[in-house]
Amino acid sequence: MEFLLLVLLGLAIPFCAIGGFAIAVQQRRRVDVLEQRLAQLEADLGRPSFVPAAVREPIVPPWVQAARDAAAPPPGATAPVPEPVSQPSEPAAEPFGQPPSPPPLVPSIPEPAAPRPGLEETLGTQWAVWVGGLALALGGLFLVRYSIEQGFFGPAARVAAGAFFALALVAGGEWLRRRAPAGEGTEAGFVPIPAMVTAAGTSTAFATAYAAYALYDMLPPAAAFLLLGAISLVTLFASALHGPALAALGLVAALGSPLLVSSAKPQLWPLVLYLGFVVLSAYAVARLRLWRWLAVAGAAGALLWAVVMIFSFGADHALARHVHVGLQALLVAVFLVADPHRRTRDGEATLDPLASLVLAGFAAIAALAATDDWTGQPLAAGLMVVLLLGLGLRFPAVAPAAGWSAALSLAVLAVWPVAREALAEPLTIIPDDLNPMQRPQAVTTFLTVAAGFGLLAFAANLWRAVQGRALPLPLAAWHVGAAVLAPLAILTLSYLRVAQFDRSLPFALVAGALGLAFSAAAGQLRRRDIDGLDGVRLATGATAAGAVAALALGLTFALDKGMLTVAFALSALGTAWVAERSGLPILRSVVGALGLIVAARLAYDPTIVGGDPGRTPILNWLLWGYGVPAACFLAAARLLERSGRDRVVRFVESLGLAFAAFFVTFEIRHALQGGDPFAETSSHLEMGLLATAGLVFSLVMVRSDAAKPDPVYKTASLIFGLLGLLVAGFGLALAQNPLLTGEPILGGAIFNSLIPAYLLPALVAAALALVARRTRPPVFVQAAALLAGALQFLYTVLAIRRVFQGPLVDLDLVTGQGEQWAYSLALLAIGILLLAIGLVWNLRRARLISAAYILLAVAKVFLVDLASLEGVMRALSFIGLGLVLMGIGLAYQKLLARSAPVVPPDAPAPAP
């Protein structure tokens, strides 16, 4: 008996604590309200303009009123008339019989902002309640655990005690809710105490039911499952009275209950029905209390359970998985999309990001479930595609659902086991009860489904974009993008899965038909664009660009070595043309997006044309793979530039320059490597032509920047110049120098491969230094000039050695006296030529380079020729050097004398 009293006392302590705490909080709140009212009343009485609501005359103290009565004249007497005083600032007297003018209004003093709760208020109104609720819930669990450890009661008594404690907490929470005055505990920052007590009770009930199942085997799995679900649902519905915290607890408990119950033979269908009922209840409570977060949380829980079903259950449960995904998608369509947006018109629509994100999640789950090896997979995927497309068409706030529908179509086609089914034909794709006719072949069914997805996306989305005349442009863009991009992507994916990127004339014909459909749609939309609607104009431009893209795809499918890169480049050109004609700014972004795709492809693998591009120079597949994209992007930049030069124009133009550089580079290698542009070998002729190409590109960019300054031209000139310098410095001087490699020089003694390999890039580098003097940094100009001098020097040495040694000019060969003397003579001749050029055109840099050559000739004569030459050769070297130096001195003397000022004979001598 005493122990029972102690137990009852222990159970009563939490209720006493809760009741005392609730009374204390209520009394504290009332005192705070009274203090605020008293402070407000004192502040109002101290204001001059305060007038109580029930009194229309000002309040006058008694002593003031007595003085006024004494000074007033007796009844019937005439008051003296005071002399008028000129006071222009005083207001005019009111006419007789009119009420006096009201005093000027005093601006009302704004009420002071409510002070933020301090540490005491936070601890008392929030943390105490949360910790108290947690303590109550844990107290019930610890009480059961203690009874188990001590062995006081049997399993039935322990479960009964836990159930009794849970019911007591729930009853206490309801009692506190009904006893609390209206509005109490709803202030900002206050945690509702009745809700926390009820939450503790439901948690205890949940733990008790689970203990009865898992610890004592008092309940079979089915009964435990139903009991746990019932407790969770009761908690969820009780939240309609107790607030959102209890709703969150109930939803988490309801979604987590199936994880607590195990079975030797798990069945998925009961779980599907249970989750449908739980999420439907969450939607109902969310609709009743307008808690949208609860609806979104329910949808998220359904998505998580779908992932668990896909990875935890085998193929024999595929139908149940698809039913779960479809049922939950329908609930989302009704409660998150149709109910809140059923009266939203096109002109008032704004994007609903939450609903769109949830629909994207269901599209992703449906794509993941598409990997099921189930004959009804196309039907399930098709229904989900139609559902998402229908939501996007009917409710403009979730227009992205049209894009999710197209993405789901692509995902289904991407994972469709076409190759395996083709080997195992005949194999049905549609269930027998839905397909009583003869079974189609697997590939035929795949292509039929792909054609249906593409046609549905094209027709439905284009119709919605045209009919929604008041639809905002960002929402209309989703439909236009799905109408154009989905058929193109589906056609490309089908070509990949069936033809494996080989040449296919049927796919080329389909692409041509799609291009004709886009062209017809663009023509019709062009004639309907009479009101200048943004949606119609966007659809016009997009379908025209789609026609160009379809044509490019057809060429790619029909011709050997076709590449999607070329298709995207052609579509970018077509889109730029349409953007320039229609004036739609958004199409400029489309061109930029296509350029990004091509740039990513180029960065991933610069060798766009793999394999054998053909043996014909220039007219080979390199022209198709690199030359056509270069021309397309450069032309697109010129078209877009007519309406302004922005980042898109600069990016597209840069991409065109990159493709042009790749085209020239690979064509040079193709011509010199026997038709293999990706060979690992090289030669001095190839290096020279590559250096010349880089320097020519840099020269063109410098001239373009001088005519029209732009960051693209400036950056491109520096990049191409640096590439030319690196190729020449490391390729021509070191890696492929015939003096070091022993590579034979092609051609005759005079006209040979040294001219295009060394002399041509030297001349281009000299021209680059000359042109870049006023538009590029001095370092750039000096580097180009030094490169020109170095290449010309190498050409001179190699050309002389070729004359004396033949095709092989490596350093191991013996150098004769005639060759040594020829080097000296060449250095002097080049120095004299550069000096003459510098003097005639007044080029100081040329005169300095000539001085370097002459000094080099002097050093060679005195250091090399003096030791190696003999007889007449040595004499001729010194005689030639002396004559040249004397001639240079004479030329400089005449130049200085000619430039000196002329002084008259009778002019006075200048002062020292």
Side-chain angles (χ1 to χ4, degrees), residues 826-865:
L827 291 176
L828 290 174
I830 295 172
I832 293 173
L833 178 62
L834 291 175
L835 179 60
I837 294 174
L839 293 176
V840 173
W841 281 284
N842 193 22
L843 297 177
R844 184 172 180 270
R845 186 171 283 106
R847 297 196 297 269
L848 293 177
I849 296 176
S850 72
Y853 270 95
I854 293 173
L855 289 176
L856 185 60
V858 171
K860 181 182 180 302
V861 168
F862 281 92
L863 297 178
V864 178
D865 293 356

Side-chain angles (χ1 to χ4, degrees), residues 513-549:
L514 182 60
L516 291 177
F518 279 136
S519 299
Q524 292 292 332
L525 293 172
R526 187 71 177 177
R527 287 188 287 271
R528 293 191 57 176
D529 188 15
I530 56 177
D531 299 331
L533 298 175
D534 291 339
V536 178
R537 294 175 61 195
L538 178 62
T540 304
T543 50
V548 179

Side-chain angles (χ1 to χ4, degrees), residues 34 117 271 285 355 361 383 630 680 726 812 873 896:
L34 290 176
L271 179 60
V285 174
L383 291 176
E680 297 180 358
L726 293 177
D812 295 336
M873 289 296 180
L896 294 177

Side-chain angles (χ1 to χ4, degrees), residues 621-633 656 659-660 662-664 667:
W621 283 108
L622 295 172
L623 178 63
W624 174 253
Y626 295 95
V628 172
C632 289
F633 284 116
F659 267 99
F662 276 107
F663 172 68
V664 173
E667 284 288 0

Side-chain angles (χ1 to χ4, degrees), residues 411-436:
V412 171
L413 295 175
V415 301
W416 194 304
V418 178
R420 185 181 61 187
E421 293 180 357
L423 295 176
E425 291 183 0
L427 181 64
T428 183
I429 305 292
I430 302 177
D432 291 337
D433 53 348
L434 299 179
N435 184 30

